[in-house]
Amino acid sequence: MEWYCNLPYLSIFLAMGVGIAVSVVKNGRIAYRVTVLTAALISAMSLVFLLMIDHSGIGLAFTMGKFPAPFGNEIRFGPLQGLFASCFSLVMTLALLGGRTDFFHDVTEKKQGLACVFLLMTLASLLVLTYTNDAFTGYVFIEISTISACALVSVKDRGPTLMATIRYLFMSLLGSGLFLFGLVLLYTITGHLLMPQLMEKIQVLAVSGEYRLPLLMSASLMTAGLGVKSAMFPFHRWLPDAHGSATTTASAVLSGLVLKGYIVLMITLFVRVFTIPTMRGLGIGDVIFVFGLLGMIVGSIYAMRESHVKRMLAYSSVAQIGYIFMGIGLMNPAGITAACFHILVHACSKPLLFTSAGRLSATVNHKKDLHELYGTAYRAPLAGVGFTVGALSMIGVPLFAGFTSKLNFATASVQSMEKMLLTLLVLALSTVLNALYYIPAITVIWSRSGETDAERQKGSAAESIAIILLIALVFVLGIAYAPITRIISDGFRLM
């Protein structure tokens, strides 16, 4: 095994180890710097791994511990896993840098170190959910991610935030419980937890027709559990309060990354455990497809009704998650490839929007209502450009990342002729709805009305670097998308 094959598990252990060490650091600013450096180092390691594994064109399993399968734990990696890990760790780094001002403004000094611990545990969970080859390990880190995410929401320590945390925790535990029930049922009928052995047994059951109902129930419960945790319509009502109430870094991480970790695990289970033909035969893909379409419309309608900028962005996430589930629901390789690409697009665009909105809000004493943000783009021009770029990406304007995503979804729908017309119609309608709330928001921040009424504030260099790099990522995904799409397609075949 080549040296670079050690990088995935080293990244996981580094995030967890530094997270434990940071818990004893009393100085919040030191803890913050250590967290940023750790996330940046993991980004570099993940990028090196991606380049090396993509060049080799292979996918490998790595046994953790001295016990072989089916008793030992495993991670499995290929180009797709390396791409997700690189994106997640890089965006985590940029979210930390971009939300620096709000982090120290919103989080009390005694809780800053703890917030850094939970950010690193969140990153470790994302890496495990990306790399794991063991279904039960996936469940364990689902729970770690849940605890970390709820702590990140509550760290702001205000009344509405605490109520949002309770709702978030309740829905997250519901999702975890459904997933666990499904996993227990699957273990009962297969006797395995490692994904390759699970797939072999499930294929035997699918051919024989034995245990069809328990298999359907298991797949349905696990899908529903991950759907609840990733804010799939109609299980989305907890998300706007939680993500809208959190501090900027937490909102960017929760909306841009945490939700994607659960979806990545869902895709892994569909491809590597149940297989796409089996899921199509069970009819689960059709349900996901319908919920995805409804989420695209309902999320945008709610976003149009919001005047609170962060809640508007949170409802927009519901719509964008709908795109991903719509692609998965097509149940063909092109649809899942498009869904994976949109995971990357949303992981970059939404933190850019949250980070820019946080910077714009800081120029008017951290007010969040849109009518209070008039002219803020002139006080923080880079943040104004960042918000505009992120918004145009979510609308789907050519040359921006969102346009490539929507083009991929439209192309994928051709391979599912019975779903093609409905997919194209909803894509068009959703694009119009996206424009109806993002364009007014852009107009507000670039309006000169009230420009002299607010105090001018200068952003930090870290925030500027984060916004510039996130803007660059949006354009890379929108223009130089061919290599990324190829990596996703190759990685899909190697899963």
Side-chain angles (χ1 to χ4, degrees), residues 7 9 13 20 66 79 171 175-176 179 206 247 249 278 296 312 326 345 348 350 397 451 454:
L7 294 177
Y9 82 85
F13 288 155
I20 294 170
K66 63 180 181 179
M171 293 302 296
S176 300
F179 182 88
T247 191
T249 294
T278 300
M296 292 164 63
M312 182 195 77
M326 180 267 291
V345 170
C348 296
K350 195 50 63 77
V397 174
E451 180 186 355

Side-chain angles (χ1 to χ4, degrees), residues 245-263:
S245 301
T247 191
T248 296
T249 294
S251 296
V253 169
L254 293 170
S255 185
L257 301 182
V258 172
L259 299 180
K260 311 308 182 303
Y262 305 131
I263 300 175

Side-chain angles (χ1 to χ4, degrees), residues 280-355:
R280 192 186 299 122
L282 293 173
I284 293 176
D286 294 333
V287 177
I288 294 174
F289 177 74
V290 172
F291 284 167
L293 295 179
L294 291 173
M296 292 164 63
I297 302 303
V298 174
S300 293
I301 291 174
Y302 275 109
M304 291 169 58
R305 299 166 58 186
E306 275 294 339
S307 61
H308 188 285
V309 65
K310 291 183 70 175
R311 286 178 60 86
M312 182 195 77
L313 295 177
Y315 274 119
S316 172
S317 290
V318 175
Q320 299 302 319
I321 293 296
Y323 281 86
I324 297 172
F325 282 118
M326 180 267 291
I328 296 172
L330 291 173
M331 284 293 157
N332 60 47
I336 295 180
T337 298
C340 290
F341 187 85
H342 197 64
I343 287 173
L344 301 177
V345 170
H346 191 253
C348 296
S349 299
K350 195 50 63 77
L352 173 60
L353 283 163
F354 272 113
T355 299

Side-chain angles (χ1 to χ4, degrees), residues 6 43 53 64 85-86 93 95 158 163 167 206 231 255 266 305 318 337 341 394 408 423 425 436:
N6 296 288
S43 301
I53 200 71
M64 309 287 287
S86 299
T93 305
R158 294 174 185 171
M163 290 301 299
R167 285 191 289 269
S255 185
M266 180 187 292
R305 299 166 58 186
V318 175
T337 298
F341 187 85
M394 292 292 91
N408 288 339
T423 300
L425 287 174
L436 289 178

Side-chain angles (χ1 to χ4, degrees), residues 96-116:
L96 280 161
L97 292 174
R100 182 179 181 277
T101 298
D102 278 1
F103 181 84
F104 291 110
H105 175 270
D106 294 336
V107 183
T108 59
E109 185 175 355
K110 66 178 181 179
K111 290 189 175 182
Q112 289 167 3
L114 290 175
C116 292

